[in-house]
Structures are given as structure tokens and as C-alpha cells.
Amino acid sequence: MMARRERILFFKCLILDLLWRLFALDDFSISAVNYIEPMIEGNQYELQCDVYNVPAAQSLTVNWYKGETLVTQTNFTNTFESPVNKTFILLIHPKRYDDGAQYKFELKPLEISKSVNITVNFKPVINETILPSVVPVFRGYPVNLSCIADGKPKPIISWKHKNGIIYREYLTVTESTPENVVCVANNSIDAVRREVKVILKEDYLPLIAGLIAITVAFISVIFIFIYSIYYKTAKMGRYSLKDAKPSAQNGNIAQNGRDNSIPMKKLSQSNILA
């Protein structure tokens, strides 16, 4: 009696499974619940898949994918004697890089799959690399500041200072710009600020260049003066022997190339011996 009942139950489940496969393959849905599209970064949401008429006495596997990556896997068995409706939920915390990501629900071995793409909005983030917190400004040399922010929806950029508000991505600062300016990036999610301190500095480059030029000129004058003295001294110590004629000695002794004016008398031998 028990064996007969089990056979009847087996064939009943088999027939129901066949009928479900034939007529209920599309009888399911997937959706995100508890939110109004789009999703907001940092919040928690539920992806929900409703499957109707799940076959009785079936061992099934539920897979959730994000793109091609398996996020979670669950095994369960429908212990009821008739098909039932099942709801499967996946909790997600979307980030900004999840914008446009695809989540897929898969039910094995029934070969059911369903996908949904999510849209994620996020607050602005100002690029601090191109907008430093301190900016030096020299007199006569304006500086252009750029405020670039990433966000969805696209943020509106504005500059605030004591003279008013300017709506654009760049700001030209000069020596007359107030000491502090603030970049504000605003969208429907949030508004973020970046304060910039403008420091006025004096440009000493022209002064330094002038001092260098004066120093070089002064050294040049000294060098020319010393060279002129040296040149004159060297020229006065030179003598020219051009057209000079040596004097005939005529029996006189010449000393150092000059004639001796003292007459020389020839002595006899007797005078020498005396």
C-alpha cells in the first residue's frame, strides 16, 4: 500500500514538473524593492525574484551573480506535494562603480535566469589633486584655479567668496582676490565644499635680476681699470734700439757699450819697470 502511494506521488510530481516546464518557464519576475529608482550610493536595497509554481519535491539551487561573479548560492528542496510560489532576496549596498551593473538570478536545474541592471547616483567628489588647499599668488601674475568634481547627476560648480558667487569650473585669482575662496560642487544627492586659501607674495625676481646686473657692471669697471693700469706700466718699461750706432773705440776701452771719455796714455817699458 505504501509503495503504491509513493509511486502515485512520484508520477504526480513528475507530471507537475513537466507541466511546469512546458507552461511556466516565464512565470517569474525579478525586481528591486523598497526604493524609487535610481539607487543612492551607501544605502541598502533588496533584489527580489518571485518564482511561481515551483515544482514539488525538487532539490533546487539558487545563484545570484553580479556580472560574471557569483555573489551567493543557496540550496533548498520544495517538500510540498504541489507547486508553490517562492521569493528569493539578495541584499546589496551599491557603490558608485556599480552604476550600470547587472545582477542575475539563476535557478538550477530548471534553467531559469533573469537579469536586472541597476542605476546608482552618488554625491560629488572634488578632485583635490588639481585644486590645492593653499595657492600662492604674485603681484601681476594671475592664477587660474580649476574645480572638477565627479558625481551623478553631474554636479553644478560654483565659487563663493565675500564678493559674491560665480557659477563656473574655473576662477582667476589675483592680488585683489579675497584671502579665502570656496569651491562648491552640488547635485541632487549632496553638496561638497573645498576651501582654498589665497596667499599674496611679492615677486623679488626683478629686484634680484637688477642687483645681479649692477654687480656684473661694477666688476667689469674694476676689471677694465686694473687692466688699463697694467697695460700702461708694461708699455713704459720697453726700449727701442732701432737706428742705434755703436761708437768707435779708437784705442779706448768701452764699458757697457758706451764710450769712455777719459783719455788713455800709452806707457813705455822703462816707465813700467820703474
Side-chain angles (χ1 to χ4, degrees):
M1 183 70 179
M2 183 63 68
R4 182 169 178 269
R5 182 178 179 183
E6 290 178 352
R7 287 196 298 272
I8 293 174
L9 180 60
F10 172 77
F11 285 111
K12 181 179 179 182
C13 291
L14 180 60
I15 292 172
L16 289 174
D17 181 47
L18 291 174
L19 291 174
W20 189 89
R21 289 174 179 271
L22 290 173
F23 302 106
L25 288 178
D26 294 326
D27 196 9
F28 64 96
S29 64
I30 181 173
S31 61
V33 297
N34 300 331
Y35 89 107
I36 299 176
E37 195 174 12
M39 296 180 178
I40 307 300
E41 180 185 32
N43 294 345
Q44 177 177 285
Y45 300 93
E46 294 181 358
L47 294 182
Q48 176 177 300
C49 186
D50 298 315
V51 181
Y52 308 100
N53 300 317
V54 176
Q58 283 279 342
S59 294
L60 303 174
T61 299
V62 174
N63 296 324
W64 284 96
Y65 292 88
K66 178 183 175 183
E68 300 297 327
T69 304
L70 179 64
V71 177
T72 182
Q73 184 178 80
T74 305
N75 298 314
F76 78 98
T77 300
N78 181 11
T79 58
F80 295 94
E81 296 183 0
S82 59
V84 295
N85 300 332
K86 294 286 292 185
T87 297
F88 305 95
I89 293 176
L90 176 68
L91 296 179
I92 63 172
H93 297 80
K95 303 297 183 183
R96 61 188 58 210
Y97 49 78
D98 293 325
D99 183 39
Q102 183 184 79
Y103 284 86
K104 183 174 70 173
F105 170 84
E106 186 179 70
L107 187 59
K108 295 285 189 177
L110 301 180
E111 302 302 330
I112 293 177
S113 65
K114 191 77 172 181
S115 300
V116 62
N117 290 80
I118 65 172
T119 300
V120 182
N121 282 4
F122 48 92
K123 70 178 183 179
V125 175
I126 296 176
N127 189 333
E128 297 182 358
T129 302
I130 62 176
L131 184 61
S133 59
V134 178
V135 176
V137 178
F138 295 94
R139 293 185 185 275
Y141 297 92
V143 176
N144 288 326
L145 301 181
S146 294
C147 186
I148 306 298
D150 181 31
K152 187 175 180 181
K154 181 178 175 60
I156 298 174
I157 305 298
S158 62
W159 294 90
K160 292 184 178 181
H161 49 75
K162 65 181 182 180
N163 295 337
I165 301 176
I166 300 174
Y167 289 93
R168 62 188 180 197
E169 291 185 349
Y170 69 91
L171 178 69
T172 301
V173 296
T174 63
E175 61 269 18
S176 61
T177 302
E179 182 178 355
N180 294 315
V181 295
V182 179
C183 171
V184 180
N186 184 24
N187 67 5
S188 59
I189 308 303
D190 201 356
V192 294
R193 299 160 54 93
R194 173 74 166 170
E195 185 172 337
V196 180
K197 186 177 183 62
V198 180
I199 300 178
L200 181 62
K201 291 190 173 184
E202 296 294 338
D203 186 9
Y204 295 104
L205 184 59
L207 178 61
I208 295 174
L211 291 176
I212 292 175
I214 293 173
T215 303
V216 171
F218 180 73
I219 294 174
S220 299
V221 170
I222 294 176
F223 176 78
I224 293 172
F225 177 74
I226 294 174
Y227 179 77
S228 63
I229 294 176
Y230 171 78
Y231 180 77
K232 290 180 179 180
T233 303
K235 188 174 181 181
M236 289 178 64
R238 295 176 184 176
Y239 297 91
S240 177
L241 299 180
K242 185 178 180 181
D243 299 331
K245 296 180 180 181
S247 299
Q249 297 185 4
N250 297 322
N252 296 332
I253 298 174
Q255 296 180 354
N256 296 329
R258 293 175 295 186
D259 294 338
N260 193 336
S261 60
I262 301 176
M264 303 295 291
K265 180 179 181 182
K266 186 176 180 182
L267 298 177
S268 63
Q269 185 176 4
S270 59
N271 291 334
I272 296 175
L273 292 177

